[in-house]
């Protein structure tokens, strides 16, 4: 990464401050100085007159797990100002996977996100089962954006339990095995654990996250707590009038118990759900104050 001086642009810094004319100095890929009429210091200069200058946008919730293999340019995201994308959300990750369980997880992701299942089978090398092998494959697949991923609970649960993951709570040995695999992933670059307590598959079966009890979640959250900076993301039944509130309280409590940061999809943004928007904001304020580090994500 070279040194760059971006001159004459209108800076929008993302803090909510008004847009302002300023120069931006970048050293070794990091913004080092922002101010009017900065003096050149031998770096490459870029004339940004008539353009906006913004920090790189981090897309914190994507399902690019497949597309990054057959479209490494990730067009059009770079043109929108994205510099980083996070994948593996909503319990859906392409790791850990093996055999028929892998095909089942691919089918689930493609069904939920309307993705081309043929491309997953033809364009992805599938040179991994567990996270360390997955990281090796990702490092060998450059993309136009920086990328990072979550370890998906649906993939983890079905990898350990097979079809029983769709049918029952996990036993002590199964939970122990899930914790081992999660610990390995978090120690080798996974950003956290993603959960799904919301979706159904193509046959309208509730996804395996529904079958996990607080003992399982608590054990997994304790593993996350051993890795500072890692988080839990959960997609709750946010559009279910009978469960969205209790789901949020449940996972906020579990995160607080383990002392970790959690993310939930709770603040309604569409017109159809505007009637519960005030209650969602009040719930957010309460769980943040009482239950700790638990924040709306989408």
């Amino acid at each position: 990464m070279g040194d760059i001086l971006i001159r004459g642009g209108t800076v929008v810094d993302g803090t909510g401050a008004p847009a302002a004319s300023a120069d931006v100095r970048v050293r070794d890929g990091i913004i080092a100085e922002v101010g009017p009429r900065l003096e050149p210091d031998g770096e490459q200069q870029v004339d940004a007159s008539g353009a906006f200058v913004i920090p790189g946008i981090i897309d914190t919730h994507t399902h690019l797990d497949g597309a990054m293999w057959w479209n490494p340019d990730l067009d059009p995201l770079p043109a929108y100002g994205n510099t980083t994308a996070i994948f593996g959300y909503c319990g859906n990750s392409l790791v850990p996977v093996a055999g028929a369980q892998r095909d089942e997880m691919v089918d689930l992701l493609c069904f939920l996100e309307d993705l081309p299942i043929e491309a997953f089978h033809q364009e992805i090398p599938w040179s991994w089962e567990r996270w360390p092998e997955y990281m090796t494959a990702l490092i060998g697949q450059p993309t136009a954006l920086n990328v990072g991923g979550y370890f998906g609970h649906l993939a983890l649960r079905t990898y350990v339990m097979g079809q029983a993951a769709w049918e029952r709570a996990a036993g002590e040995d199964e939970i122990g095995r899930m914790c081992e695999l999660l610990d390995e992933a978090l120690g080798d670059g996974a950003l956290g654990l993603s959960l799904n307590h919301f979706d159904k598959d193509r046959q309208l079966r509730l996804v395996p996250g529904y079958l996990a009890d607080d003992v399982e979640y608590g054990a997994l959250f304790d593993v996350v707590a051993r890795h500072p900076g890692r988080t839990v993301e959960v997609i709750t039944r946010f559009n279910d009038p009978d469960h969205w509130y209790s789901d949020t309280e449940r996972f906020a409590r579990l995160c607080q118990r383990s002392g970790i940061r959690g993310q939930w999809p709770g603040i309604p943004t569409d017109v159809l759900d505007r009637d519960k928007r005030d209650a969602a904001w009040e719930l957010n304020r309460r769980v943040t104050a009482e239950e700790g580090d638990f924040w709306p994500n989408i």
Side-chain angles (χ1 to χ4, degrees):
M1 297 288 292
D3 296 345
I4 302 172
L5 181 61
I6 305 170
R7 302 179 62 89
T10 299
V11 172
V12 180
D13 66 9
T15 67
S21 178
D23 300 340
V24 178
R25 192 187 312 278
V26 178
R27 294 191 190 279
D28 295 325
I30 298 174
I31 296 172
E33 189 177 7
V34 179
R37 296 178 295 280
L38 298 180
E39 289 294 326
D41 190 26
E43 63 272 273
Q44 176 187 355
Q45 297 185 46
V46 176
D47 183 3
S49 301
F52 289 103
V53 181
I54 65 173
I57 295 172
I58 301 173
D59 193 336
T60 60
H61 188 147
T62 82
H63 294 282
L64 295 171
D65 310 60
M68 59 194 290
W69 294 96
W70 61 77
N71 177 27
D73 290 342
L74 294 175
D75 182 64
L77 295 179
Y80 294 157
N82 285 79
T83 57
T84 302
I86 311 301
F87 55 86
Y89 265 82
C90 304
N92 294 294
S93 65
L94 301 184
V95 59
V97 289
Q101 174 259 353
R102 184 196 77 186
D103 294 340
E104 188 172 56
M105 287 297 98
V106 168
D107 185 74
L108 177 62
L109 178 59
C110 291
F111 171 67
L112 294 177
E113 302 300 332
D114 193 23
L115 299 170
I117 194 167
E118 296 84 1
F120 277 79
H121 291 303
Q122 296 173 10
E123 303 296 333
I124 297 178
W126 298 114
S127 57
W128 62 83
E129 282 194 14
R130 290 158 47 177
W131 186 274
E133 300 157 349
Y134 185 54
M135 281 295 294
T136 298
L138 290 177
I139 291 170
Q141 174 71 1
T143 60
L145 303 182
N146 300 307
V147 294
Y150 278 80
F151 200 52
H153 179 243
L154 300 183
L156 173 61
R157 200 169 202 270
T158 55
Y159 183 80
V160 171
M161 298 178 63
Q163 283 302 304
W166 298 81
E167 300 165 358
R168 60 171 173 81
E172 182 178 351
D173 290 345
E174 291 164 331
I175 292 173
R177 180 60 175 148
M178 282 188 259
C179 288
E180 290 175 3
L181 290 165
L182 175 60
D183 189 60
E184 175 183 70
L186 296 175
D188 202 27
L191 299 179
L193 176 68
S194 68
L195 313 177
N196 192 317
H197 195 67
F198 171 75
D199 283 310
K200 299 178 181 179
D201 76 349
R202 199 180 298 274
Q203 289 76 44
L204 301 183
R205 294 181 299 172
L206 298 173
V207 294
Y210 279 94
L211 282 300
D213 57 22
D214 285 2
V215 173
E216 178 180 331
Y217 282 132
L220 292 170
F221 287 13
D222 285 347
V223 174
V224 175
R226 297 203 297 265
H227 296 267
R230 302 301 191 258
T231 65
V232 165
E233 178 266 342
V234 55
I235 179 169
T236 58
R237 291 172 285 186
F238 62 91
N239 64 353
D240 184 333
D242 295 325
H243 296 101
W244 72 273
Y245 203 97
S246 59
D247 278 1
T248 304
E249 291 183 313
R250 176 191 181 189
F251 288 102
R253 182 182 68 253
L254 286 166
C255 285
Q256 191 275 337
R257 172 197 164 277
S258 295
I260 60 175
R261 172 168 292 180
Q263 309 165 45
W264 63 291
I267 308 300
T269 57
D270 57 52
V271 172
L272 293 177
D273 289 330
R274 63 184 175 186
D275 59 312
K276 66 179 184 184
R277 193 171 297 154
D278 290 344
W281 275 117
E282 179 56 34
L283 174 60
N284 175 67
R285 284 189 286 269
R286 181 172 66 77
V287 299
T288 301
E290 297 177 4
E291 309 290 355
D293 212 359
F294 199 68
W295 303 92
N297 174 266
I298 54 175

